[in-house]
Amino acid sequence: MDAIIQLIRNALCCMKDLNLFSSTILHDPKHTAKYYAFPSPHLNQTTPLELLISITQLYACLSCSRSGYKLLKNKGLAKLHNLTRIADLMKDKYKDIKSKKAVSIIKESIMNEASSAFRDTIIGVCVLSIGVSFFWLFANSLHVT
């Protein structure tokens, strides 16, 4: 679903940037005023095309923010917290394990999982910030900014 919305948003933005179909109602702010009267001085200049673009950008804002937050919370920070607790519990258990190879495998596995959780935390922060930035684009499409 996200890919379809992205394709639609990009197509609409290309239509606006290249001024395609400029003689249609898509570029006429008076047509938007027939259905909803935005306040002046700037919001009343919103065209139907910009309204469609703003809806797709709001979707991107909500979708990316939600995905980034879930990735950050569930696969990033929560996983790091659990791995820290496991590492603390295993400190005392390493003495009971006689095979150094087994201890090495356990430590390596915990470090690989911690590396993955840290990477997911960084990716979650990036996706969340991209999602939040789409809110500015949403407002800009409506001539709020």
Side-chain angles (χ1 to χ4, degrees), residues 8-9 14 20 24 30 32 39 41 44 48 50 53 55 58 64 66 68 71 84 92-93 116 118 121 127 135 142:
I8 292 169
R9 183 180 64 244
C14 288
L20 299 175
T24 63
K30 293 175 187 166
T32 308
N44 64 348
E50 291 169 333
I53 291 171
I55 291 169
L58 181 62
C64 287
R66 181 176 176 258
L71 187 65
T84 303
D92 298 331
K93 303 286 183 186
S116 171
F118 182 71
T121 301
V127 172
F135 187 77
L142 296 176

Side-chain angles (χ1 to χ4, degrees), residues 1-13 52-53 55-57 59-60 63:
M1 181 69 172
D2 286 348
I4 293 169
I5 300 294
Q6 290 170 5
L7 181 65
I8 292 169
R9 183 180 64 244
N10 288 341
L12 293 171
C13 288
L52 291 172
I53 291 171
I55 291 169
T56 59
Q57 289 171 336
Y59 177 83
S63 163

Side-chain angles (χ1 to χ4, degrees), residues 57-91:
Q57 289 171 336
L58 181 62
Y59 177 83
C61 170
L62 298 175
S63 163
C64 287
S65 297
R66 181 176 176 258
S67 298
Y69 178 75
K70 284 173 68 175
L71 187 65
L72 181 64
K73 183 181 174 223
N74 298 338
K75 291 189 177 179
L77 298 176
K79 193 174 183 181
L80 281 173
H81 179 69
N82 290 338
L83 288 170
T84 303
R85 290 191 322 185
I86 290 171
D88 288 342
L89 291 172
M90 290 302 293
K91 281 182 188 176

Side-chain angles (χ1 to χ4, degrees), residues 95-119:
K95 298 172 191 168
D96 298 338
I97 300 173
K98 294 184 171 129
S99 170
K100 290 190 178 203
K101 184 167 177 117
V103 171
S104 161
I105 291 171
I106 293 169
K107 286 182 179 180
E108 184 178 329
S109 174
I110 290 173
M111 289 306 296
N112 286 342
E113 288 297 319
S115 175
S116 171
F118 182 71
R119 185 175 47 253

